[in-house]
Amino acid sequence: SYASVVDVLAGKVAVDDTVTVRGWVRTRRDSKAGISFINVHDGSCFDAIQAVVPAELPNYQSEVLKLTTGCSVAITGIVVESQGKGQSYELQATGVKVYGWVEDPDIYPMAPKRHSMEYLREYAHLRPRTNVTGAVMRVRNTLSQAIHRFFHEHGYLWVSTPIITTSDCEGAGEMFRVSTLDLLNVPKTETGEVDFSEDFFGKEAFLTVSGQLNVESYACSLSKVYTFGPTFRAENSNTSRHLSEFWMVEPEVAFADLNDIAHLAEDMLKYVFKAVLEERPDDMAFFQQRINSEVIERLEKMVDADFVHMDYTDAIEILQNCGKKFEYPVEWGVDLQSEHERYLAEEHVGAPIILKNYPRDIKAFYMRQNDDGKTVAAMDVLAPGIGEIIGGSAREERLDVLDKRIEEMNLPAEEYGFYRDLRRYGSVPHAGFGLGFERLVAYVTGMQNIRDVIPFPRAPKSAQF
Ligand code: 4AD
Ligand code: MG
């Protein structure tokens, strides 16, 4: 029978049973005594399993001694307790079958040594064979499963929001155009420019920057909902925390206010941190040892502690009086730069911090205005090492206030008819937030660059296939 590596290493197969494990060779070592030790990984856990292969096997000379890193194999063997330290069980091989050879081991891109992350990015299709990408993808999977579980357990419905849209949720003009035009026969305007106004079956359309506006309509009917899907930003930001295509988790809650969703964000983060600590200790131990010596401890600390909640206005005062020289000076009214966010999270509190009530003029049109006339009920969660991981707000549910804002910001009112309807027919206070999923994965694993926590990164000038 077949077993995955994790099943054997976790003791799910009885000692003395014979099983077949299939995967890829990580290393081969031959001893003088005429046996070979082959480590095989299959992605089911961090560790590879060791198979002890005796020279008596019929294909020992012809095949086993030619195995190199990356070859795909099926190894049949008897499960025995391992003598080696750090390994629970191993296989006494009784048969080795080779599925696929590595054409030329000297040029196999994933040779067993430490590669730079930049190098691995050029081999996005092969890097999941490495320890580091395998570990990232297992943690990423655990995080996404835990997010769905958290919302499910708390009575939220998962709503799929569209990817093709006509509205610019953030109003930042960072949308990718979607076109059905025959590119060889693009219509031209009178002045000879390409006319995109009818490019999506007669209307202009884009890839969504956020599912929020759509999910709001479901919150205003089904009460507690969330969307979790890909979003796109045509922002030419070549940084370690921006992607052109990333996944966002966006809960939206009817009858909730800013404090409700600030606490929802805190509870959700604690829940998913706990899940990773419990379910992926092998991968987290690797990140702790290789990437960042604090990753485990900082998650453990946060599962129990209350997050610091602070007003933007107080944060500005702290930044102005902290004695640190920033590249971008701070004063009330500015949008916080990554250096400010990181100072607050890393040096001021040493943990994620929730900032609330930002100036109205630096935030999106849909955020609910506070009574002071100059701030909105917005909140961001800032994390050490990366800065903003969550952005959210109470939504402006008063039609007259919303209309005034749309006009002040010169937004095309006709695009927001559906959004205005929600305020015309049984409007309710509601609030929600967006969690940048890759930023969460980067924070949890300690990985430095967001391009290394998504299977195939899309970013300005990066390799894309
Ligand atoms: O702050 P943002 O732009 O907020 C929204 O889109 C709201 N509509 C969300 C809502 O309230 N439902 O984006 C939310 C989060 C950010 O905090 C950040 O973590 C992530 O999305 N994000 C990015 N992640 C990777 N690459 C980018 N270019 C990102 N832009 C935003
Ligand atoms: Mg934001």
Side-chain angles (χ1 to χ4, degrees):
S1 65
Y2 296 110
S4 59
V5 171
V6 69
D7 285 344
V8 180
L9 293 183
K12 289 192 185 146
V13 180
V15 169
D16 291 340
D17 274 8
T18 294
V19 289
T20 301
V21 165
R22 294 168 293 186
W24 293 265
V25 172
R26 180 151 281 152
T27 55
R28 192 196 88 228
R29 187 166 58 81
D30 310 313
S31 86
K32 290 197 200 80
I35 46 176
S36 294
F37 300 93
I38 297 175
N39 279 308
V40 175
H41 66 100
D42 67 357
S44 60
C45 59
F46 183 82
D47 286 319
I49 191 168
Q50 172 164 283
V52 183
V53 186
E56 289 75 51
L57 291 195
N59 62 344
Y60 185 77
Q61 293 289 336
S62 60
E63 293 195 316
V64 174
L65 287 182
K66 292 183 183 144
L67 285 173
T68 56
T69 303
C71 290
S72 47
V73 292
I75 300 192
T76 302
I78 301 161
V79 176
V80 296
E81 274 179 46
S82 179
Q83 306 302 317
K85 65 171 184 335
Q87 280 273 325
S88 46
Y89 299 95
E90 59 188 30
L91 292 182
Q92 285 290 346
T94 54
V96 174
K97 173 180 149 181
V98 181
Y99 284 104
W101 296 96
V102 164
E103 273 183 15
D104 179 352
D106 290 336
I107 59 160
Y108 178 53
M110 299 291 115
K113 59 171 192 175
R114 224 185 256 204
H115 300 288
S116 73
M117 289 297 158
E118 290 77 12
Y119 173 85
L120 292 182
R121 260 171 245 150
E122 291 174 31
Y123 295 95
H125 57 306
L126 292 174
R127 68 177 184 171
R129 303 253 178 114
T130 62
N131 277 337
V132 64
T133 305
V136 166
M137 294 307 150
R138 280 185 297 274
V139 168
R140 184 182 164 102
N141 173 67
T142 295
L143 284 168
S144 82
Q145 300 282 352
I147 285 166
H148 282 297
R149 214 162 54 234
F150 171 84
F151 285 118
H152 177 68
E153 286 173 10
H154 289 79
Y156 286 73
L157 299 181
W158 179 26
V159 174
S160 312
T161 48
I163 286 171
I164 299 174
T165 178
T166 55
S167 41
D168 181 1
C169 175
E170 294 306 298
E174 290 167 348
M175 305 210 289
F176 288 101
R177 185 176 288 286
V178 176
S179 182
T180 56
L181 292 183
D182 170 356
L183 290 177
L184 296 176
N185 288 299
V186 267
K188 299 275 169 61
T189 61
E190 276 165 22
T191 53
E193 284 150 31
V194 177
D195 182 3
F196 283 116
S197 61
E198 300 198 342
D199 63 350
F200 181 73
F201 302 117
K203 203 169 181 326
E204 211 173 17
F206 307 92
L207 295 179
T208 188
V209 297
S210 157
Q212 177 198 326
L213 302 187
N214 299 88
V215 90
E216 272 187 56
S217 84
Y218 274 72
C220 295
S221 354
L222 305 177
S223 302
K224 286 163 54 165
V225 295
Y226 70 105
T227 177
F228 185 174
T231 51
F232 307 85
R233 305 261 166 124
E235 174 185 16
N236 198 358
S237 293
N238 216 333
T239 80
S240 59
R241 56 181 216 150
H242 288 90
L243 289 165
S244 308
E245 176 179 315
F246 62 99
W247 286 63
M248 216 191 320
V249 178
E250 300 182 88
E252 194 69 34
V253 195
F255 313 107
D257 65 13
L258 182 66
N259 279 323
D260 294 329
I261 53 137
H263 284 106
L264 178 68
E266 179 172 345
D267 292 346
M268 181 198 69
L269 289 173
K270 287 177 179 169
Y271 183 99
V272 303
F273 293 160
K274 196 154 167 267
V276 169
L277 290 169
E278 283 171 6
E279 295 169 31
R280 297 265 40 114
D282 55 345
D283 295 319
M284 289 307 294
F286 168 77
F287 291 122
Q288 166 107 349
Q289 196 207 347
R290 182 73 73 79
I291 306 292
N292 177 331
S293 62
E294 288 173 17
V295 277
I296 292 182
E297 197 192 328
R298 72 185 186 187
L299 294 188
E300 281 171 350
K301 270 206 303 219
M302 259 151 19
V303 167
D304 303 316
D306 288 336
F307 285 20
V308 173
H309 296 227
M310 185 188 287
D311 261 26
Y312 166 93
T313 303
D314 297 327
I316 291 294
E317 207 160 288
I318 288 167
L319 291 167
Q320 281 174 328
N321 297 319
C322 71
K324 190 168 171 129
K325 201 135 179 48
F326 294 112
E327 193 187 336
Y328 296 90
V330 263
E331 56 174 308
W332 198 95
V334 300
D335 206 356
L336 296 184
Q337 302 293 322
S338 165
E339 55 173 345
H340 309 128
E341 296 178 343
R342 293 185 54 172
Y343 175 83
L344 292 167
E346 281 159 40
E347 295 175 52
H348 188 70
V349 294
I353 169 173
I354 304 188
L355 279 200
K356 299 189 288 200
N357 298 311
Y358 282 74
R360 185 183 77 158
D361 293 336
I362 58 170
K363 290 292 185 184
F365 77 98
Y366 53 73
M367 295 193 178
R368 192 180 197 282
Q369 289 185 44
N370 290 326
D371 293 340
D372 62 12
K374 53 180 195 171
T375 61
V376 284
M379 65 118 190
D380 279 3
V381 179
L382 316 178
I386 183 145
E388 178 188 340
I389 58 172
I390 288 180
S393 76
R395 316 308 189 188
E396 186 54 76
E397 85 283 9
R398 299 161 295 186
L399 184 62
D400 54 334
V401 185
L402 181 73
D403 278 345
K404 194 150 161 269
R405 200 65 193 138
I406 288 179
E407 197 185 314
E408 279 169 1
M409 295 178 79
N410 281 321
L411 295 170
E414 64 282 3
E415 291 302 332
Y416 298 101
F418 80 98
Y419 197 68
R420 294 180 68 253
D421 273 359
L422 302 176
R423 279 81 185 155
R424 296 169 66 207
Y425 309 128
S427 186
V428 291
H430 60 286
F433 66 76
L435 163 72
F437 185 58
E438 283 72 23
R439 291 198 184 170
L440 174 73
V441 181
Y443 175 67
V444 166
T445 58
M447 295 293 289
Q448 292 288 316
N449 195 312
I450 197 164
R451 297 174 194 201
D452 302 321
V453 302
I454 186 164
F456 293 95
R458 269 78 182 99
K461 301 193 181 70
S462 74
Q464 309 192 338
F465 49 84

